[in-house]
Amino acid sequence: MSMQRRDFLKTGLAGGAILGAPAIVKAQERFNWRMTTTWPAGLPFFQTGPGSATDFARRVEEMSDGRIRIRVYSGGELVPPFEGFDAASSGRQVQLHHGCAYYWAGKSFAAQYFTSVPFGMTFQGHNAWLNEGGGYELYQEVYEPFDLVPLVVGCTGVQPMGWFREPVESLKDFQGLNIRMPGLAGEIYNAIGANARLLPGGELFAALERGAIDAAEWVGPYSDRELGLHRAAKYYYSSGWHEAATSTEVVINRRAWESLPKDLQAIVRNAAAACNITSHMWLEAHNADALDDLVNNHGVQFGPVPDDVIQALLEATNDILSDKAAEDPLVRRVHESYFRFKARHDRWQANSETMFQTQIRDLGQKIRT
């Protein structure tokens, strides 16, 4: 080999190493993040178990081969449950928060559309809007002033209306009723004469048991039983008008997010998507047995509320959404996007899910096993 060729290879290899060094260093960089949550320690679905905050952190660490490690703090452990959004926004104490968008209605009314909309779309339609109907782009726009990047990480599916200490016989039973209900649905209850309050999950049982509130909404049979709500109230109503597809979210400090290389951003996004599906499947698998247990073994009375209640709630929903959309251009754009997509999706759902539920499902019970 000539002297010139040896010199060229040395120079080329050295130059290549120098040029490649930043990429190699970036690929080897490790991130140790902290994530607060809104949820009590040990709470299934939200804090622990399939699709939960800790499951999300575990998936990110495994998929990244330890390049991202997220330490999870339950609500109140590092900051109060409803202060995690601000903590992640500032980025001083934590990089992420796990909660629900409708908890931040006081910061932006539009945020609530990304959790659930009363009388709105169920899991399929809600996620289709987010992923294929422009919902995610609006979600990012709503959170941009707070220096946060949002990701949907879970879905409860349709939620029951909630637990009541006394039976609901007509609309007048809501006059002066103290009920735990977050976000837009709380405003709607106020419009029909109730007094809605926002309480974190860890405070629900005590407030309901001692009569500080008359009613409370949480998630569904399995999660509600875990909180012991059946020990504080026996009337459980099925009319889940308020939350047809309740999505949980992780919000990530924008500076922290932008510090990640593209491959790690992709890992975080895909871990969130996996948790969204996993959490929903997990609750769908456990709610039926939990409801049977509540009714058969704990004396819970379960069923729909009277029609006049649902009609009043629908009218209040229309009034409030129309007023809010008229007041704020961003809310109007989110509102119009959501309901335009819903109109399209409803046409398909009427010929798919609804048709199956009304015409085919019961016949399927006759198949021999």
Side-chain angles (χ1 to χ4, degrees), residues 189-227:
Y189 271 132
N190 290 340
I192 67 168
N195 300 315
R197 297 175 57 185
L198 177 59
L199 295 174
E203 298 178 17
L204 288 193
F205 172 76
L208 192 59
E209 183 185 43
R210 69 174 186 268
I213 54 176
D214 306 305
E217 174 273 354
W218 184 232
V219 176
Y222 185 90
S223 300
D224 294 7
R225 186 182 60 178
E226 290 296 301
L227 282 188

Side-chain angles (χ1 to χ4, degrees), residues 221 283-293:
L283 278 185
E284 286 291 302
H286 287 83
N287 274 333
D289 289 343
L291 181 59
D292 288 345
D293 177 54

Side-chain angles (χ1 to χ4, degrees), residues 169-193:
E169 298 176 349
S170 71
L171 180 60
K172 64 183 180 183
D173 291 321
F174 284 86
Q175 297 302 308
L177 185 83
N178 294 309
I179 181 169
R180 183 270 180 189
M181 179 65 72
L184 175 58
E187 289 194 46
I188 294 166
Y189 271 132
N190 290 340
I192 67 168

Side-chain angles (χ1 to χ4, degrees), residues 344-360:
R344 289 167 47 208
H345 186 260
D346 283 351
R347 293 196 297 273
W348 164 238
Q349 193 169 56
N351 293 289
S352 57
E353 292 287 327
T354 302
M355 183 66 71
F356 181 86
Q357 293 291 342
T358 57
Q359 186 178 16
I360 307 300

Side-chain angles (χ1 to χ4, degrees), residues 80-206:
F82 293 137
E83 293 183 16
F85 183 96
D86 289 336
S89 177
S90 72
R92 288 190 293 271
Q93 285 181 287
V94 301
Q95 289 75 37
L96 311 92
H97 179 72
H98 190 288
C100 285
Y102 61 11
Y103 290 149
W104 326 126
K107 301 178 184 298
S108 174
F109 184 90
Q112 299 172 98
Y113 287 79
F114 307 107
T115 298
S116 190
V117 178
F119 300 95
M121 292 183 282
T122 56
F123 176 84
Q124 295 97 323
H126 184 76
N127 278 277
W129 171 64
L130 285 170
N131 288 282
E132 300 295 333
Y136 252 126
E137 289 79 3
L138 289 165
Y139 200 3
Q140 292 168 343
E141 184 178 349
V142 169
Y143 278 32
E144 187 173 4
F146 306 102
D147 286 327
L148 291 170
V149 175
L151 295 171
V152 167
V153 294
C155 188
T156 68
V158 179
Q159 294 192 12
M161 187 172 179
W163 298 85
F164 291 71
R165 288 164 58 89
E166 301 294 334
V168 173
E169 298 176 349
S170 71
L171 180 60
K172 64 183 180 183
D173 291 321
F174 284 86
Q175 297 302 308
L177 185 83
N178 294 309
I179 181 169
R180 183 270 180 189
M181 179 65 72
L184 175 58
E187 289 194 46
I188 294 166
Y189 271 132
N190 290 340
I192 67 168
N195 300 315
R197 297 175 57 185
L198 177 59
L199 295 174
E203 298 178 17
L204 288 193
F205 172 76

